[in-house]
Amino acid sequence: MDEGRRIRCAIYTRKSTEEGLEQPFNSLHAQRRACEDYIRSQAGEGWLISAEPYDDGGYSGGDMRRPALRRLMADISAGSVDILVVYKVDRLTRALGDFAKLVDAFDRSGVSFVSVTQAFNTTTSMGRLTLNILLSFAQFEREITSERIRDKIAASKAQGMWMGGAVPLGYDGHAGESRGVLTTNEVEAGAVRLIFHKFLELGNTHTLQRWLAEEGIRSKRRITKSGRLAGGYAFSRGALRYLLQNRTYLGEIRHKEMVYPGRHPAIIDRSTFDAVQGMLKDISRRRRDRVTQARRTL
């Protein structure tokens, strides 16, 4: 150890419930005492106990929004901590994925991690090896989970189910037993049919966009998960083009390059939809021809 070197050691404690926290000596105190004893055993290496308490009483290990943990991570980012000491790894988190994110944050700040009851110490080469093995399994678990989710989405869409995302204008999504099946919103469906037929009448999205704004026809309003009202905006040309090409209105579900019959009713008949697609392609072709002609005249 360098002469005079001081290593600042923060102690983090957690208890899932508030039961017993009113006692003079509770679980948080026991965890802290064990961590302090360990740090004192490393005094010859310059380890010092931080006076700042990081105690989360009554918080689940699956919840990362803990006040003391947030203060700890802020202090780590600020460079106020050299080593984090806990009684057991699960005091920090019970989720392997969250643990991997925390360790990544520790690495960025040059902070080591010690679990005093599990011989887990990243200040040593063996501890770092153990950590790397653990994080490799965490990465493997994330990839397997992602593959399962992708496979489930693909299989569900092949069965015609709506698998989430912004519900298109003209439909309503549902939770519970009806989840995965869109139902027609008759008022909005009338607006969608009007948009398709008006496009065929006007012949371009620019004029259609201006007409919709004058008529007060806007995008779908929806409530976000946070309870905030979103949508209800005037249509942009890009949003109009996306709506006019949306095969959901044919009663279909699309997954990548595949299209499946959906469990929801169609709003637009196929002849109207195909006529709109033909007009959109013709508009794109004429635009490309104008660009090509302009380049030739340069």
Side-chain angles (χ1 to χ4, degrees), residues 1-287:
M1 184 190 76
D2 295 338
E3 189 66 29
R5 185 185 178 194
R6 294 294 180 263
I7 300 175
R8 300 159 297 176
C9 301
I11 298 172
Y12 177 79
T13 66
R14 181 187 64 79
K15 187 178 186 296
S16 297
T17 66
E18 296 182 355
E19 183 181 355
L21 291 180
E22 74 284 355
Q23 297 176 0
F25 188 81
N26 57 47
S27 174
L28 299 182
H29 297 136
Q31 293 176 47
R32 171 165 286 276
R33 177 172 293 182
C35 293
E36 288 176 345
D37 289 344
Y38 186 90
I39 294 171
R40 291 190 184 101
S41 73
Q42 303 297 314
E45 298 297 322
W47 290 28
L48 294 174
I49 300 171
S50 170
E52 182 68 25
Y54 302 99
D55 304 317
D56 276 322
Y59 288 90
S60 166
D63 184 2
M64 297 297 288
R65 297 168 298 179
R66 293 169 252 155
L69 180 61
R70 287 182 168 180
R71 285 193 295 105
L72 171 64
M73 298 309 295
D75 289 345
I76 286 175
S77 297
S80 303
V81 176
D82 298 313
I83 296 177
L84 171 61
V85 182
V86 297
Y87 182 71
K88 291 176 64 176
V89 172
D90 66 3
R91 298 303 86 194
L92 191 60
T93 177
R94 291 185 178 275
L96 195 56
D98 289 337
F99 180 64
K101 294 176 183 177
L102 289 171
V103 170
D104 183 56
F106 299 161
D107 286 344
R108 290 197 300 270
S109 298
V111 172
S112 297
F113 173 72
V114 174
S115 171
V116 301
T117 62
Q118 296 166 311
F120 197 92
N121 184 346
T122 62
T123 65
T124 68
S125 57
M126 182 57 69
R128 288 189 292 274
L129 174 61
T130 303
L131 176 63
N132 287 333
I133 293 172
L134 184 62
L135 295 181
S136 294
F137 275 103
Q139 176 66 25
F140 174 73
E141 182 183 44
R142 286 195 297 271
E143 292 176 357
I144 291 296
T145 300
S146 296
E147 289 176 3
R148 288 173 179 167
I149 292 173
R150 287 195 299 269
D151 291 345
K152 181 179 180 181
I153 291 174
S156 297
K157 286 191 172 184
Q159 296 298 315
M161 297 178 66
W162 175 260
M163 292 305 294
V167 175
L169 183 71
Y171 291 104
D172 290 324
H174 302 278
E177 294 182 0
S178 299
R179 183 181 180 184
V181 180
L182 299 175
T183 56
T184 305
N185 182 313
E186 293 298 341
V187 174
E188 294 180 1
V192 171
R193 296 186 187 101
L194 180 60
I195 290 171
F196 271 79
H197 288 104
K198 200 66 180 179
F199 174 73
L200 291 175
E201 175 188 328
L202 298 175
N204 65 79
T205 54
H206 181 72
T207 307
L208 176 61
Q209 178 191 22
R210 189 166 59 245
W211 183 83
L212 290 173
E214 292 171 353
E215 295 296 316
I217 299 175
R218 295 176 173 268
S219 65
K220 186 178 184 68
R221 288 183 178 273
R222 62 184 187 279
I223 303 297
T224 66
K225 290 182 178 180
S226 63
R228 185 175 58 86
L229 183 64
Y233 306 119
F235 281 99
S236 65
R237 291 174 68 184
L240 274 178
R241 194 174 184 89
Y242 180 82
L243 184 150
L244 293 169
Q245 293 177 310
N246 193 342
R247 302 188 71 89
T248 304
Y249 294 127
L250 284 174
E252 297 177 345
I253 293 290
R254 186 167 189 166
H255 181 62
K256 297 183 179 180
E257 301 303 319
M258 302 298 294
V259 177
Y260 305 101
R263 297 187 182 185
H264 61 279
I267 289 178
I268 302 298
D269 62 85
R270 189 167 294 275
S271 61
T272 300
F273 189 86
D274 289 344
V276 167
Q277 305 319 300
M279 184 171 287
L280 287 170
K281 289 180 180 178
D282 188 54
I283 292 171
S284 295
R285 180 186 55 78
R286 292 201 304 269
R287 184 180 297 114

